[in-house]
Amino acid sequence: MQTPDTADFKQLTLPQWLERIEACHPAEIELGLDRLQQVANRLELKLDSAFKVVAGGTNGKGSTLAMLDAVLLASGKTTGRFSSPHFLHYNERVLLNGEPAEDDAFCRAFVAIEQARGDIPLTYFEYGTLAALLILSAASVDVMLLEVGLGGRLDAVNIVDADLALVSTVALDHTDWLGPDRESIGFEKAGIYRAGKPALCGDPEPPQSLLAHAEQLGAQLYARGQAFDFEAHSESWHWRGQGTAGPVSLAGLPNPGLPLANAAMVMQALQLMPWQVSEQAIRAGLESVQLTGRMQCCQWQNLDLLLDVAHNPEAAEYLSSQLADSASPVHLVLGMLHDKDIGSVIEALSDVVDHWYPVSLDVPRGTSVQELTDQVLQAGVSASQVHSGDSVAQVLQQLASDEVEGQVVVAGSFFTVADALACITEG
């Protein structure tokens, strides 16, 4: 792509900007905040008027912020949410009061960033983080909900000082970047905590490194199983936790259709905000929340679909637990990236899946259908249960044509779910 002169920046469309920023930095990931902080300082971001929530963790960041967003909107607050990656449209990464930001807002933000950065290189995610902060600042929202991209301590989102930070879970993922065990990963994720500010942890067994870092910082730690917890019942759930004035509990809460462990952390976060959120708003938010690609049920042609990213062992185990009581056959369309723990994901799902449909993902890190098929067979799955396909779309079309009975699950990666959503959208 040709590099435009500064005068031409304002003429670029959002797709052109995305092509440009993707080509600007040779590395997809480059952890560290020095370069980004320099550009942020030049942009003079105005973040102080909003209450800022930063969410990290191996799994559950997105669902936690989605529930928090829904409750806050039901309470009458204005919100801005930044998350990644997107499924079909880049605009999904920034939501203003639940709606994707407009193309023009991103383009204006990218122009400002390009003019401010000078010769400082930025990665694709760093451009996107700064653009999100500019858009949220301009919208003057009451609450900013910011999702960490990778890790925490050195992630681009961590240039923001959180008023409340939460870590959902700590499990093995991105070990090449974050370290080989839960202790090293826990330290990285605890890097979003701030001195004197609420620091939540939803992991039932938090690494000692996370606890130690929170104590060293002087953060106000609220850990699941100590400060707050929950009990699941057949059609509702109960929560107990800590408010500013002492213990708090709520019974008979509606099931949000997302992990209750994350909902419990949302409940604790609500108690620590500088305003009171009514029980009515809490119930309304939990009943209305929706999150693309996380336990998302939909119908397409004659298929009963369940879309869930489930790209690491912990997430796969949760998906498995939700499918365990299925009385009908489970058909799994599985596509994964080669740098994920494919064997452990397959193992976590092996007891609940009746038919496997490995597919290739047409992305640089995608695992080929042959390699994925081999790993499924190596896990002990009978060859009669494995039906390899060229792509998600091809398999879904075939399953619809065959009028298969049961639940069709699409999982293994954001890219796998995105391919299914594209197929559904196209009809």
Side-chain angles (χ1 to χ4, degrees):
M1 175 179 183
Q2 289 184 338
T3 301
D5 294 329
T6 302
D8 296 328
F9 288 155
K10 294 181 181 179
Q11 308 305 316
L12 296 181
T13 64
L14 180 55
Q16 288 172 328
W17 267 115
L18 297 178
E19 181 184 354
R20 174 178 170 75
I21 66 176
E22 194 166 12
C24 275
H25 196 288
E28 180 181 2
I29 299 170
E30 182 174 327
L31 296 179
L33 303 180
D34 291 343
R35 293 174 297 99
L36 187 67
Q37 191 65 66
Q38 289 182 59
V39 182
N41 291 342
R42 295 174 187 177
L43 289 169
E44 298 181 348
L45 295 167
K46 295 179 175 59
L47 307 178
D48 292 342
S49 61
F51 187 85
K52 297 171 289 295
V53 178
V54 174
T58 305
N59 295 301
K61 301 182 292 291
S63 61
T64 299
L65 290 187
M67 286 184 276
L68 194 51
D69 200 357
V71 172
L72 290 169
L73 287 173
S75 74
K77 296 299 178 183
T78 59
T79 65
R81 174 159 42 118
F82 171 54
S83 60
S84 66
H86 60 278
F87 288 100
L88 298 179
H89 305 289
Y90 189 84
N91 311 61
E92 298 167 19
R93 295 186 178 218
V94 178
L95 302 182
L96 296 172
N97 297 320
E99 297 295 327
E102 299 288 342
D103 283 17
D104 286 349
F106 284 102
C107 290
R108 288 193 300 270
F110 288 137
V111 168
I113 295 165
E114 198 65 13
Q115 292 173 340
R117 76 176 181 90
D119 59 357
I120 298 174
L122 297 173
T123 67
Y124 185 86
F125 184 73
E126 289 169 341
Y127 268 105
T129 301
L130 289 174
L133 294 177
L134 282 169
I135 293 170
L136 300 186
S137 298
S140 299
V141 295
D142 297 323
V143 188
M144 292 186 186
L145 304 168
L146 308 173
E147 180 184 333
V148 167
L150 175 63
R153 182 175 64 92
L154 299 176
D155 184 80
V157 171
N158 204 32
I159 64 170
V160 176
D161 287 326
D163 296 304
L164 182 152
L166 52 89
V167 173
S168 52
T169 63
V170 180
L172 296 182
D173 200 9
H174 300 296
T175 53
D176 288 347
W177 295 96
L178 304 180
D181 51 41
R182 291 183 75 243
E183 288 299 326
S184 54
I185 294 171
F187 172 76
E188 294 296 330
K189 294 190 182 299
I192 63 174
Y193 292 158
R194 293 296 189 267
K197 301 293 185 179
L200 279 60
C201 181
D203 196 301
E205 297 180 358
Q208 185 59 39
S209 60
L210 180 145
L211 302 177
H213 190 62
E215 182 178 3
Q216 183 180 8
L217 280 174
Q220 303 169 10
L221 183 64
Y222 294 81
R224 176 183 162 191
Q226 299 178 22
F228 68 94
D229 216 333
F230 70 98
E231 295 177 4
H233 299 274
S234 57
E235 297 182 358
S236 65
W237 61 290
H238 298 178
W239 175 85
R240 64 167 181 81
Q242 294 294 320
T244 54
V248 186
S249 63
L250 284 173
L253 292 168
N255 192 323
L258 293 167
L260 291 182
N262 299 330
M265 192 161 48
V266 167
M267 293 296 301
Q268 181 57 59
L270 291 168
Q271 309 303 315
L272 303 172
M273 292 188 170
W275 51 76
Q276 188 172 2
V277 177
S278 70
E279 183 176 338
Q280 180 182 5
I282 290 171
R283 293 180 180 276
L286 292 177
E287 288 173 346
S288 67
V289 66
Q290 295 181 338
L291 185 60
T292 302
R294 278 73 154 197
M295 300 305 296
Q296 179 184 358
C297 297
C298 56
Q299 298 289 325
W300 180 70
Q301 297 191 15
N302 58 351
L303 299 180
D304 179 16
L305 295 178
L306 175 64
L307 311 181
D308 192 75
V309 173
H311 60 298
N312 57 44
E314 184 184 46
E317 287 168 6
Y318 177 79
L319 176 59
S320 178
S321 71
Q322 299 304 296
L323 295 171
D325 296 329
S326 177
S328 56
V330 173
H331 304 261
L332 176 63
V333 183
L334 183 69
M336 296 193 67
L337 301 180
H338 64 69
D339 52 2
K340 296 295 182 178
D341 187 351
I342 296 173
S344 295
V345 168
I346 293 171
E347 181 181 357
L349 293 165
S350 60
D351 289 339
V352 297
V353 174
D354 298 288
H355 296 279
W356 297 74
Y357 302 83
V359 296
S360 295
L361 294 179
D362 188 20
V363 294
R365 293 157 56 208
T367 302
S368 70
V369 63
Q370 186 58 60
E371 181 182 349
L372 197 53
T373 299
D374 290 345
Q375 294 219 34
V376 172
L377 293 172
Q378 289 168 14
V381 177
S382 169
S384 63
Q385 295 176 274
V386 184
H387 321 276
S388 302
D390 294 331
S391 66
V392 173
Q394 181 264 319
V395 169
L396 290 181
Q397 291 283 3
Q398 187 62 53
L399 291 173
S401 176
D402 293 343
E403 298 184 354
V404 297
E405 296 183 0
Q407 178 95 74
V408 176
V409 181
V410 180
S413 170
F414 278 87
F415 295 105
T416 318
V417 171
D419 286 350
L421 289 169
C423 184
I424 294 167
T425 302
E426 293 167 2

